[in-house]
Amino acid sequence: MSPIWDLPDPHADAALPSRAVAALLDVALSPSSADALLRAVQTVVPVDYLSLVRLRSDRPELVEGSASRPQERAVVAQCFGIYRRHYYRRDAILPLAHQLTGRPGREGVALHCRADQLPDAGWRADIYERERLTDRFTLMHVPAPGQVQVIHLYRDERQGRFLPQEVERLLGLAPLLRQAHAAAWRAGAALADRASRVEDGERRLQRLAPSLSPRERAVCARIALGLSADGIAADLDVAPSTVITLRKRAYLKLADAGLPSQRLGLARLLN
C-alpha cells in the first residue's frame, strides 16, 4: 500500500534554501511552471522528471513536463501518452481526487508510490521499466472548485529510489509547492479569461464600428478591460506612444459612429 499524507499549511519555522525560495517565487512568472517547480524541488531533493497534470471528469490531461536533462524532456510526454491510453484508471490518484473535491478546505494530499507497488504489470513494464523509473512522489491539490491539479515527481535508476529522509524533505516542501503552483494556475486562468474577453470585445467592435482598424479594435477592447497604455503596449508588443496614437484615432471614429469614445463608455459597451 502506497503511503498517503494530508498536506498541512506551511510551517512558519520551515527553513528552505534561498535557491528554493527564488525558484518558488519564479513559478507564476516563468514561461514554464514545470521548469520552475523542478528547479525548486531540486534544491531540496534530486528529481529526474516532473509532470503537471490536471484531472477533468476523471480523465488526466498533461499540462507541462520538465526533465533534469533537457534532452530527455520528451520522456514525460511519451510516458504520459502510454499512461493515458492504457493505465490511468488503475491509478490511486483518481479516488484521491474524489476525496479532495468532496472535502472543501482540504489543502491537498501527497502520495509516494514505488514501481514495484504498481497494481498493473503492464504499467510497470511499459513505462517504469522501459525508462528505468524507480518511483513517483505525487502532490495533489484543488486551487479552485472542481479543478484538481497534480504534480508528479519521478526518480530513475541513476538517482535511485526516494529515501525516507528525502520523502520527509518533499513533504516539508509540498505545502509551498502547492501554493506556488496554485498561484501559477490562477495567473494562467486570469490570462486565459482576459484573452477570451478581449477576443469577444474585438468581435463586437468589428460589428458595431467596422471603420476601426484591427489594431484600433485591439486597443479599444483592452481599454474596456481597464488596461493602461503601458499595459496595452506590453500586451501588443508596441510602444506606449503607438497605443496613444491608436486610441486617439479610434476615439474619433467611435464618436463619428455615435458610440462611446472614452474608457468608461467602452467598458459599459463591451462588458
Side-chain angles (χ1 to χ4, degrees):
M1 175 89 178
S2 301
I4 299 170
W5 301 269
D6 276 332
L7 294 185
D9 287 327
H11 292 297
D13 58 350
L16 286 177
S18 58
R19 289 180 299 146
V21 175
L24 287 168
L25 291 173
D26 281 343
V27 171
L29 302 176
S30 173
S32 169
S33 295
D35 287 346
L37 286 168
L38 182 59
R39 287 195 298 271
V41 172
Q42 286 177 326
T43 65
V44 176
V45 173
V47 172
D48 291 291
Y49 304 100
L50 180 148
S51 65
L52 299 180
V53 174
R54 63 174 166 239
L55 295 177
R56 288 185 174 175
S57 302
D58 283 347
R59 192 165 174 82
E61 297 178 358
L62 180 65
V63 178
E64 277 188 277
S66 185
S68 60
R69 294 165 289 276
Q71 69 275 16
E72 296 183 6
R73 186 183 298 270
V75 169
V76 175
Q78 291 167 0
C79 289
F80 182 81
I82 298 169
Y83 165 82
R84 177 166 161 144
R85 284 193 298 273
H86 302 293
Y87 303 116
Y88 77 89
R89 292 181 181 86
R90 304 291 308 278
D91 200 334
I93 68 171
L94 293 183
L96 285 174
H98 287 293
Q99 293 176 28
L100 274 177
T101 54
R103 283 179 54 184
R106 193 177 187 186
E107 298 293 347
V109 296
L111 170 69
H112 178 217
C113 180
R114 294 186 346 215
D116 59 7
Q117 295 172 324
L118 293 173
D120 190 300
W123 187 3
R124 289 196 301 273
D126 291 348
I127 296 178
Y128 284 75
E129 292 175 8
R130 191 189 78 168
E131 298 298 337
R132 299 183 178 181
L133 303 176
T134 58
D135 46 355
R136 181 187 79 184
F137 182 89
T138 298
L139 165 63
M140 300 174 63
H141 66 107
V142 184
Q147 297 286 340
V148 180
Q149 303 288 319
V150 185
I151 304 172
H152 289 308
L153 306 175
Y154 296 90
R155 288 271 283 263
D156 65 21
E157 292 177 354
R158 286 169 288 196
Q159 299 286 358
R161 289 177 176 166
F162 289 116
L163 299 174
Q165 59 267 34
E166 291 177 318
V167 171
E168 287 299 315
R169 288 184 213 139
L170 288 173
L171 288 171
L173 180 65
L176 294 174
L177 280 177
R178 174 184 60 78
Q179 288 191 347
H181 186 220
W185 181 88
R186 286 191 291 268
L191 285 174
D193 178 64
R194 191 180 80 183
S196 175
R197 292 172 65 192
V198 163
E199 186 177 345
D200 182 61
E202 290 185 24
R203 282 198 301 266
R204 295 175 69 181
L205 282 169
Q206 187 171 22
R207 184 174 68 254
L208 295 170
S211 63
L212 293 176
S213 71
R215 279 293 201 186
E216 290 164 352
R217 287 198 300 271
V219 167
C220 287
R222 287 164 173 80
I223 289 173
L225 292 180
L227 271 70
S228 67
D230 287 342
I232 296 170
D235 218 24
L236 299 179
D237 195 23
V238 297
S241 58
T242 300
V243 173
I244 292 169
T245 299
L246 290 168
R247 183 179 64 192
K248 288 179 180 177
R249 292 176 182 169
Y251 280 0
L252 287 173
K253 292 179 182 180
L254 289 169
D256 287 343
L259 295 170
S261 55
Q262 35 74 29
R263 181 186 297 276
L264 291 178
L266 279 173
R268 286 193 291 268
L269 180 69
L270 299 181
N271 296 318

